[in-house]
Amino acid sequence: MYPANALRNLAISHSATEYVFYVDADMYPPFSEAKTWKSLSRSIERAKQLSGSERCDKCAFVTPLFNRASEKVPGYPKTKAELKKRVADPSSDIQPCLLLSHLVVDHRRWFAASEAYEIEYAEDMEPYFIVPSAAPLMNDAYAGYGRDKCAYSRDLNADGFRFFVLEGLFVINLLDPPESLNQIIRRAADMPIPDRLFLNIEFHKNDLEHGHIRYPASYSSRSVSYSGQTANGHSKYKFTARDKDTQHSENQDHTSVKDGNNSGTSSSDTKIVKVDGDSEIETDGGTGCGTVLADFKFTSIPDLVSSIGINVQPKRKDLIVESLMKLYGVHTYVEMPSASIAGSLRIMLPLMQPEAAISVLPESHSDDREIRGIFENYRSKGTVYEVLKTVVADHPGPKLYSLNSGQLSGEKARELANAILRQASNDDVILIDTGSETKPDECWLHLFADMCDQRLDWRMYRKYDYVIMKSGALRKAPPETVPEAPGCLDSFQPRSGFGTDVILFSKNRPLQTFAFVDSLKTYATGLNKVWLLVKTEDAIFDDGYDLVVSCFSRFVSIEVIKESTSESFGRQILNIIRSSSAYSILIAVDEIIWLRPFDLGVVSSLLHDCQDAAMFQLRLGENIRVFDRRDYSDRFRSFRFDDDYLTYYPRRLPYDFGYVLNVDGVVSRRQDLLEEFESFLPACSTPGCVEQGWIMHRLHNASRRWHLMYRNSRMVNNMGMADGRVADRYESPADGSYQLARVLVGERKRIDVEQFANQNRNHQNTHQSKPVQFVPLEC
């Protein structure tokens, strides 16, 4: 380990000056030695006046610290006036350091001060200061990384030193990139000693138990009450605010200081001061219980840094949940409360692939049918805490608790959050969805206090409109074990006699259906029959579907089945599956355009011989992957007979591979579909119900089995043919539906599928929004 304090002491022993300046190598003091001495001399005289002493041999002179986040503005300010102007600029890259360790200087007061002023010692402060060369040496037990200057400040205070802020001097720190701290933590892991020694945590804890601790009086001038208290009635934290009638009037002309996230808002005077306890060094950002925050706002809660794997788009709760569960090895998802289980859970579950999905609905009247078969429903019988206690007993593994606070009052959100905190273990993660309108900043301030009151070593993070709470000790989980690949990888050889039927759903979209079958004719072989299940609401749509049949009936057998009013949509699908003579079934929607050659005979033969594989996915391929294959190389294996065919293990793969659980573009064994659809399909009245039922009822079986696919995607869902109708929102045909039907029926034009395929063959997303071109219809 690097003996920093021992080397500092060695340097001081060779110093020939009356004073020494304790500063780190990455700090920039933008002033000369002459200016330093001039300011120090004035401050020494002022310190003598304030202390009533003729000597100042126990005076420590503090230099305020400012952080420079980047070098987008060239040069450093040389004077206090230049610095003040730079800090006040909203686009500035220099801001005061607002951590407890440096906040004691009171930057507002410093900007207005014309002479040195005294500050009181605060536990864990670590300012950079000038002291007499005869001052106590630093504790050389501190090596490695962290808390060394905190200990020295404590030693000086215990020795009777007083602290004075130099009115004209300052230092600037060019902030290190996030990976630098990660490198330090990795060095700690490589040491042949415990992390707590390398990071000086044990030394720090021992000093806290035996050291001399005193708090500035200004930190306790007025308390703000909150409910989180210890058993003896005393909070572990003090929430305080300065007296606005006194100190605010003194500082009303002071420069506005931004908060720690450079949000551009001026600081308020709320502080959180740690009174007891200890916390670990954290590598993924966030706010720990040992932190003092000036101007506590929702926007000032630090991010969960993207370097650990949470780097997703805003408003994508599904991606955040998926990333958190995969990152920390969480396998159980608990949502509370939810007005309708059909919302977030039904969308996210195929992507999260949990061991269990639990709905805690203390005030919900959701239809039991929505959660039957896949969701475990814990309706409140007693308090929420008692319900969660039952959940924990039934599911002892790590959990992600998702608290939907958007429609809750701040008081109710805190009640539920505290119930979770009381039951959570250090392996769990709490995600709070703030909804469209976040709670007042005071609510997050109190929630932070509640967390620290129950979980002293936990931290709070923010990601967009979501707040995350977890133990500071919770680290990235090791990769999951991948089961042995199917045995047919080396032995499979294609056989004849295995065909595939297509079941195509379409509503008022004959032009899109024409493109589907046209591209199917161009690229597919081994096709047995196309079952066209349609719903039409005007004669022009009927005419369009008739054109599809007349143009392609010589290529493949097409049977049109109109949606019945006397029989459910789902039951009609079951009847088609029972009537099919094919070994496999491909279920699809009309917006698909096929892009590459594919052999449904070989696909069906693979499903027959590789019974370990769940299904064959035509949607996915290497071109779809949005991740580095090296990270998942053990999930993908190629077949010996043809390396264009792959088998892959989908559990915990990134987002797009959640589509393995969607019905669209998947080839399945006909018998599997009959067995799995029988339980829910007869009650379905729309394609959306079929898709969601597929997800819900195939989730646990499918995500933990190997799947099959081509090396590159064979299809794309082209959303560029938008007709104004999405997910059956329109009770009558949309204008766009008529316009596109007229292109086919009236103008006798079709989509140029070959041109579209050439342009989109190497697409990277499963859904595209690309324009199409029309060519004359010839059939």
Side-chain angles (χ1 to χ4, degrees):
M1 296 192 298
Y2 188 77
N5 279 3
L7 293 176
R8 287 182 176 118
N9 292 338
L10 178 63
I12 292 170
S13 69
H14 289 275
S15 173
T17 60
E18 186 178 354
Y19 287 87
V20 292
F21 187 7
Y22 281 93
V23 68
D24 289 345
D26 56 349
M27 301 296 158
Y28 175 65
F31 38 78
S32 64
E33 181 180 350
K35 181 179 178 181
T36 302
W37 179 247
K38 183 178 179 180
S39 178
L40 180 60
S41 299
R42 291 198 307 266
S43 297
I44 290 173
E45 293 305 313
R46 177 59 177 164
K48 290 178 180 178
Q49 294 176 12
L50 293 173
S51 62
S53 172
E54 295 182 359
R55 297 173 57 84
C56 206
D57 52 355
K58 288 197 173 184
C59 296
F61 297 95
V62 175
T63 56
L65 175 65
F66 292 81
N67 289 330
R68 187 177 187 187
S70 69
E71 294 182 308
K72 62 182 180 181
V73 179
Y76 287 84
K78 301 292 185 182
T79 66
K80 185 176 182 178
E82 291 178 10
L83 176 65
K84 184 175 181 178
K85 183 178 180 181
R86 190 86 160 254
V87 169
D89 183 357
S91 63
S92 172
D93 58 347
I94 297 179
Q95 294 298 322
C97 180
L98 297 181
L99 298 177
L100 167 63
S101 51
H102 295 278
L103 201 62
V104 290
V105 302
D106 190 344
H107 293 86
R108 288 186 176 185
R109 183 179 179 185
W110 179 79
F111 272 121
S114 58
E115 57 186 1
Y117 56 92
E118 186 173 7
I119 59 173
E120 294 185 69
Y121 168 77
E123 180 58 31
D124 273 355
M125 78 177 198
E126 55 169 357
Y128 298 98
F129 39 57
I130 299 172
V131 296
S133 57
L137 295 176
M138 301 189 79
N139 185 346
D140 58 12
Y142 282 76
Y145 178 82
R147 291 182 166 90
D148 48 336
K149 293 183 293 297
C150 296
Y152 189 56
S153 297
R154 187 186 309 113
D155 291 343
L156 291 179
N157 178 64
D159 198 50
F161 271 70
R162 298 171 69 168
F163 299 90
F164 301 89
V165 180
L166 293 164
E167 53 82 20
L169 303 182
F170 55 92
V171 290
I172 296 176
N173 176 26
L174 182 60
L175 292 179
D176 296 325
E179 58 267 20
S180 62
L181 181 56
N182 293 336
Q183 291 172 359
I184 292 171
I185 301 302
R186 284 195 292 270
R187 283 212 311 271
D190 294 337
M191 289 288 175
I193 61 172
D195 291 355
R196 295 181 64 86
L197 292 180
F198 177 83
L199 300 173
N200 293 318
I201 296 171
E202 289 296 342
F203 301 126
H204 176 70
K205 183 176 181 180
N206 182 70
D207 284 350
L208 285 178
E209 293 174 353
H210 303 96
H212 196 94
I213 301 176
R214 185 159 56 91
Y215 285 89
S218 61
Y219 281 7
S220 56
S221 59
R222 185 170 64 192
S223 295
V224 177
S225 62
Y226 77 106
S227 61
Q229 294 182 335
T230 58
N232 59 10
H234 299 292
S235 170
K236 295 179 179 180
Y237 293 78
K238 293 180 181 177
F239 287 73
T240 65
R242 297 179 189 171
D243 192 319
K244 295 183 179 180
D245 297 333
T246 56
Q247 297 191 27
H248 275 208
S249 62
E250 295 174 6
N251 299 330
Q252 60 184 352
D253 296 327
H254 295 181
T255 301
S256 174
V257 179
K258 292 184 181 180
D259 62 36
N261 266 7
N262 296 334
S263 65
T265 57
S266 60
S267 294
S268 71
D269 302 295
T270 304
K271 297 183 183 298
I272 306 172
V273 181
K274 182 177 176 182
V275 177
D276 58 15
D278 188 24
S279 63
E280 297 281 353
I281 295 293
E282 179 62 36
T283 62
D284 54 6
T287 297
C289 295
T291 302
V292 168
L293 296 180
D295 190 17
F296 194 108
K297 295 180 180 295
F298 174 78
T299 54
S300 71
I301 302 172
D303 272 4
L304 185 64
V305 297
S306 60
S307 62
I308 64 166
I310 311 296
N311 189 17
V312 298
Q313 302 171 5
K315 307 298 183 183
R316 291 302 302 270
K317 181 177 180 180
D318 50 354
L319 301 188
I320 291 176
V321 168
E322 179 201 21
S323 298
L324 286 170
M325 295 185 75
K326 182 165 58 179
L327 181 67
Y328 297 116
V330 177
H331 299 285
T332 298
Y333 177 84
V334 183
E335 176 163 292
M336 59 183 289
S338 179
S340 174
I341 205 72
S344 59
L345 267 180
R346 292 182 71 182
I347 294 171
M348 291 185 296
L349 274 175
L351 309 179
M352 300 181 311
Q353 304 173 13
E355 299 288 348
I358 296 166
S359 174
V360 178
L361 304 171
E363 298 173 348
S364 173
H365 301 287
S366 295
D367 190 339
D368 283 338
R369 184 181 61 191
E370 300 290 355
I371 57 177
R372 186 185 305 147
I374 188 65
F375 303 116
E376 297 185 42
N377 178 27
Y378 287 73
R379 296 194 181 278
S380 286
K381 297 178 180 178
T383 66
V384 174
Y385 172 77
E386 291 168 343
V387 173
L388 289 176
K389 190 174 181 180
T390 304
V391 170
V392 171
D394 292 347
H395 301 276
K399 285 169 281 295
L400 186 142
Y401 294 92
S402 176
L403 174 56
N404 300 316
S405 70
Q407 302 300 316
L408 304 177
S409 66
E411 182 179 354
K412 185 65 175 179
R414 285 182 62 200
E415 175 192 338
L416 296 182
N418 273 280
I420 296 173
L421 283 164
R422 289 173 63 191
Q423 281 297 335
S425 74
N426 284 339
D427 294 325
D428 298 337
V429 179
I430 299 174
L431 177 69
I432 302 177
D433 183 350
T434 66
S436 57
E437 295 183 7
T438 187
K439 301 289 183 289
D441 293 324
E442 182 181 2
C443 176
W444 301 109
L445 177 70
H446 290 314
L447 187 57
F448 179 78
D450 296 341
M451 179 190 77
C452 292
D453 190 57
Q454 298 193 53
R455 302 283 175 176
L456 191 59
D457 64 337
W458 276 41
R459 300 178 73 84
M460 179 179 282
Y461 313 79
R462 181 174 63 89
K463 198 68 180 177
Y464 307 122
D465 295 331
Y466 304 93
V467 170
I468 300 162
M469 296 189 293
K470 70 176 186 67
S471 166
L474 184 59
R475 294 293 184 268
K476 186 174 180 178
E480 289 190 355
T481 302
V482 177
E484 186 176 349
C488 59
L489 276 173
D490 296 328
S491 60
F492 173 79
Q493 290 295 327
R495 292 185 291 163
S496 60
F498 293 93
T500 301
D501 279 3
V502 175
I503 300 178
L504 178 63
F505 308 148
S506 185
K507 177 183 176 182
N508 297 333
R509 284 180 169 177
L511 177 68
Q512 292 92 322
T513 300
F514 196 102
F516 177 99
V517 182
D518 194 6
S519 60
L520 195 67
K521 175 186 176 183
T522 302
Y523 296 112
T525 56
L527 181 60
N528 185 61
K529 183 175 182 177
V530 173
W531 302 82
L532 186 53
L533 182 55
V534 303
K535 181 176 182 179
T536 60
E537 297 170 305
D538 195 284
I540 191 172
F541 304 119
D542 291 316
D543 293 342
Y545 289 118
D546 288 342
L547 267 176
V548 173
V549 175
S550 64
C551 285
F552 296 108
S553 58
R554 289 188 299 274
F555 156 63
V556 65
S557 173
I558 301 176
E559 182 171 345
V560 178
I561 300 175
K562 285 202 170 184
E563 189 173 333
S564 172
T565 56
S566 60
E567 193 173 34
S568 73
F569 179 77
R571 190 168 293 281
Q572 283 187 285
I573 296 174
L574 273 176
N575 290 338
I576 292 173
I577 296 174
R578 293 190 184 105
S579 301
S580 171
S581 61
Y583 181 80
S584 302
I585 301 289
L586 166 61
I587 296 179
V589 295
D590 50 26
E591 63 195 16
I592 288 174
I593 293 181
W594 302 98
L595 305 173
R596 289 185 175 88
F598 58 102
D599 191 333
L600 290 172
V602 174
V603 168
S604 188
S605 179
L606 270 169
L607 288 172
H608 177 272
D609 287 13
C610 300
Q611 291 293 319
D612 292 339
M615 60 189 78
F616 197 106
Q617 176 58 259
L618 295 169
R619 179 195 298 266
L620 303 179
E622 288 188 351
N623 56 299
I624 299 296
R625 285 193 227 168
V626 291
F627 52 87
D628 188 340
R629 177 166 184 174
R630 290 173 299 176
D631 295 338
Y632 300 95
S633 58
D634 62 335
R635 305 291 184 96
F636 294 84
R637 313 284 173 82
S638 58
F639 279 81
R640 175 174 290 182
F641 87 99
D642 187 339
D643 65 3
D644 193 32
Y645 293 83
L646 302 179
T647 183
Y648 68 99
Y649 187 69
R651 180 160 171 76
R652 297 300 173 101
L653 284 175
Y655 169 70
D656 273 339
F657 273 72
Y659 279 111
V660 299
L661 300 175
N662 279 26
V663 64
D664 192 16
V666 174
V667 184
S668 301
R669 302 174 189 88
R670 186 176 70 89
Q671 190 60 39
D672 290 349
L673 293 183
L674 285 174
E675 292 173 0
E676 294 169 4
F677 279 4
E678 193 72 51
S679 61
F680 73 92
L681 205 58
C684 283
S685 60
T686 66
C689 173
V690 175
E691 183 176 35
Q692 293 301 332
W694 172 284
I695 292 170
M696 293 164 64
H697 290 267
R698 301 206 84 186
L699 176 64
H700 293 283
N701 291 333
S703 67
R704 291 160 181 79
R705 295 173 64 187
W706 287 83
H707 290 238
L708 306 172
M709 72 175 183
Y710 281 103
R711 188 170 294 278
N712 290 291
S713 170
R714 261 44 186 180
M715 56 164 274
V716 68
N717 286 69
N718 183 35
M719 311 302 288
M721 295 184 290
D723 55 7
R725 179 183 59 77
V726 179
D728 297 318
R729 294 177 188 170
Y730 292 84
E731 294 182 0
S732 59
D735 291 341
S737 299
Y738 279 112
Q739 292 171 6
L740 293 178
R742 291 188 192 105
V743 171
L744 178 67
V745 177
E747 301 177 25
R748 306 289 289 186
K749 291 183 178 180
R750 64 177 176 85
I751 295 169
D752 189 342
V753 294
E754 291 186 12
Q755 180 271 341
F756 182 88
N758 289 334
Q759 287 190 347
N760 295 276
R761 195 160 283 137
N762 295 317
H763 66 287
Q764 295 183 342
N765 300 313
T766 56
H767 289 70
Q768 295 283 83
S769 295
K770 298 295 181 66
V772 297
Q773 295 182 13
F774 299 109
V775 294
L777 175 64
E778 298 176 359
C779 65

Short mmCIF file of all heavy atoms in Angstrom, two decimals, residues 30 37 82 166 214 237 307 346 500 511 593 632 637 653 658 763:
data_model
loop_
_atom_site.label_atom_id
_atom_site.label_comp_id
_atom_site.label_asym_id
_atom_site.label_seq_id
_atom_site.Cartn_x
_atom_site.Cartn_y
_atom_site.Cartn_z
N PRO A 30 -4.09 28.51 -7.58
CA PRO A 30 -3.76 29.50 -8.61
C PRO A 30 -3.24 30.82 -8.04
O PRO A 30 -3.81 31.89 -8.27
CB PRO A 30 -5.11 29.68 -9.32
CG PRO A 30 -6.12 29.45 -8.26
CD PRO A 30 -5.53 28.42 -7.33
N TRP A 37 1.76 34.19 1.17
CA TRP A 37 2.29 34.72 2.44
C TRP A 37 1.59 36.00 2.85
O TRP A 37 1.31 36.23 4.03
CB TRP A 37 3.80 34.94 2.33
CG TRP A 37 4.36 35.50 3.60
CD1 TRP A 37 4.89 36.73 3.81
CD2 TRP A 37 4.40 34.83 4.87
NE1 TRP A 37 5.27 36.88 5.11
CE2 TRP A 37 4.98 35.73 5.79
CE3 TRP A 37 4.01 33.56 5.30
CZ2 TRP A 37 5.18 35.40 7.12
CZ3 TRP A 37 4.20 33.25 6.63
CH2 TRP A 37 4.79 34.15 7.52
N GLU A 82 -12.41 36.75 -10.00
CA GLU A 82 -12.56 35.94 -11.20
C GLU A 82 -13.29 34.63 -10.90
O GLU A 82 -14.14 34.16 -11.68
CB GLU A 82 -11.19 35.63 -11.80
CG GLU A 82 -10.48 36.85 -12.40
CD GLU A 82 -9.10 36.48 -12.92
OE1 GLU A 82 -8.79 35.27 -12.98
OE2 GLU A 82 -8.33 37.39 -13.26
N LEU A 166 -9.00 31.19 5.15
CA LEU A 166 -8.25 32.25 4.47
C LEU A 166 -9.17 32.97 3.50
O LEU A 166 -9.78 32.35 2.62
CB LEU A 166 -7.06 31.65 3.73
CG LEU A 166 -5.96 31.05 4.62
CD1 LEU A 166 -5.04 30.15 3.79
CD2 LEU A 166 -5.16 32.15 5.28
N ARG A 214 -16.80 16.85 18.01
CA ARG A 214 -17.60 18.02 18.36
C ARG A 214 -18.24 18.57 17.08
O ARG A 214 -17.63 18.53 16.03
CB ARG A 214 -16.70 19.08 19.00
CG ARG A 214 -17.43 20.32 19.52
CD ARG A 214 -16.56 21.03 20.56
NE ARG A 214 -15.26 21.37 20.04
CZ ARG A 214 -14.96 22.53 19.45
NH1 ARG A 214 -15.90 23.44 19.32
NH2 ARG A 214 -13.75 22.78 19.00
N TYR A 237 -29.92 11.04 12.79
CA TYR A 237 -29.57 12.16 11.92
C TYR A 237 -30.24 13.42 12.42
O TYR A 237 -31.31 13.38 12.98
CB TYR A 237 -30.00 11.90 10.47
CG TYR A 237 -29.22 10.78 9.89
CD1 TYR A 237 -29.55 9.47 10.21
CD2 TYR A 237 -28.11 11.01 9.12
CE1 TYR A 237 -28.80 8.42 9.74
CE2 TYR A 237 -27.35 9.97 8.63
CZ TYR A 237 -27.69 8.68 8.95
OH TYR A 237 -26.95 7.67 8.49
N SER A 307 -21.44 3.36 -15.62
CA SER A 307 -20.32 2.45 -15.80
C SER A 307 -20.58 1.07 -15.22
O SER A 307 -19.90 0.12 -15.55
CB SER A 307 -19.05 3.04 -15.17
OG SER A 307 -19.23 3.21 -13.78
N ARG A 346 -47.12 -6.57 -16.96
CA ARG A 346 -47.34 -7.38 -18.15
C ARG A 346 -46.38 -6.99 -19.26
O ARG A 346 -46.02 -7.80 -20.11
CB ARG A 346 -48.78 -7.24 -18.63
CG ARG A 346 -49.78 -7.86 -17.67
CD ARG A 346 -51.18 -7.75 -18.19
NE ARG A 346 -51.40 -8.63 -19.33
CZ ARG A 346 -52.55 -8.69 -19.99
NH1 ARG A 346 -53.55 -7.93 -19.63
NH2 ARG A 346 -52.68 -9.49 -21.02
N THR A 500 -44.31 -26.53 -42.07
CA THR A 500 -44.76 -25.51 -41.12
C THR A 500 -45.96 -24.77 -41.69
O THR A 500 -45.94 -24.35 -42.86
CB THR A 500 -43.63 -24.50 -40.84
OG1 THR A 500 -42.51 -25.19 -40.30
CG2 THR A 500 -44.09 -23.43 -39.86
N LEU A 511 -53.21 -4.61 -47.85
CA LEU A 511 -51.95 -4.23 -48.49
C LEU A 511 -50.76 -4.80 -47.73
O LEU A 511 -49.83 -5.36 -48.32
CB LEU A 511 -51.83 -2.71 -48.57
CG LEU A 511 -50.51 -2.18 -49.16
CD1 LEU A 511 -50.42 -2.52 -50.64
CD2 LEU A 511 -50.37 -0.68 -48.94
N ILE A 593 -42.42 -8.03 -42.90
CA ILE A 593 -41.85 -8.23 -44.24
C ILE A 593 -40.62 -9.10 -44.07
O ILE A 593 -39.76 -8.84 -43.23
CB ILE A 593 -41.48 -6.89 -44.91
CG1 ILE A 593 -42.75 -6.08 -45.21
CG2 ILE A 593 -40.70 -7.14 -46.20
CD1 ILE A 593 -42.49 -4.76 -45.90
N TYR A 632 -21.32 -12.51 -23.86
CA TYR A 632 -22.34 -13.55 -23.85
C TYR A 632 -21.95 -14.72 -24.75
O TYR A 632 -22.82 -15.44 -25.24
CB TYR A 632 -23.68 -12.98 -24.32
CG TYR A 632 -24.18 -11.86 -23.45
CD1 TYR A 632 -23.93 -10.54 -23.77
CD2 TYR A 632 -24.89 -12.13 -22.28
CE1 TYR A 632 -24.38 -9.50 -22.96
CE2 TYR A 632 -25.34 -11.12 -21.47
CZ TYR A 632 -25.08 -9.80 -21.81
OH TYR A 632 -25.53 -8.80 -21.02
N ARG A 637 -24.29 -21.02 -29.56
CA ARG A 637 -23.56 -22.14 -30.15
C ARG A 637 -24.08 -22.35 -31.57
O ARG A 637 -25.28 -22.24 -31.82
CB ARG A 637 -23.76 -23.42 -29.34
CG ARG A 637 -23.57 -23.26 -27.84
CD ARG A 637 -22.12 -23.15 -27.44
NE ARG A 637 -21.99 -22.83 -26.03
CZ ARG A 637 -22.08 -23.71 -25.04
NH1 ARG A 637 -22.32 -24.99 -25.33
NH2 ARG A 637 -21.92 -23.34 -23.78
N LEU A 653 -30.38 -12.27 -21.10
CA LEU A 653 -29.77 -11.54 -22.22
C LEU A 653 -30.39 -10.15 -22.29
O LEU A 653 -31.48 -9.92 -21.76
CB LEU A 653 -29.98 -12.29 -23.53
CG LEU A 653 -29.11 -13.52 -23.75
CD1 LEU A 653 -29.51 -14.23 -25.03
CD2 LEU A 653 -27.64 -13.16 -23.78
N GLY A 658 -35.55 -10.20 -25.19
CA GLY A 658 -36.81 -10.49 -24.52
C GLY A 658 -37.88 -10.93 -25.49
O GLY A 658 -38.89 -11.52 -25.11
N HIS A 763 -30.82 -4.52 -40.62
CA HIS A 763 -31.41 -3.70 -39.57
C HIS A 763 -30.93 -4.17 -38.20
O HIS A 763 -30.54 -5.33 -38.02
CB HIS A 763 -32.93 -3.77 -39.64
CG HIS A 763 -33.49 -5.13 -39.32
ND1 HIS A 763 -33.39 -6.19 -40.20
CD2 HIS A 763 -34.13 -5.61 -38.24
CE1 HIS A 763 -33.95 -7.26 -39.66
NE2 HIS A 763 -34.40 -6.93 -38.47
#
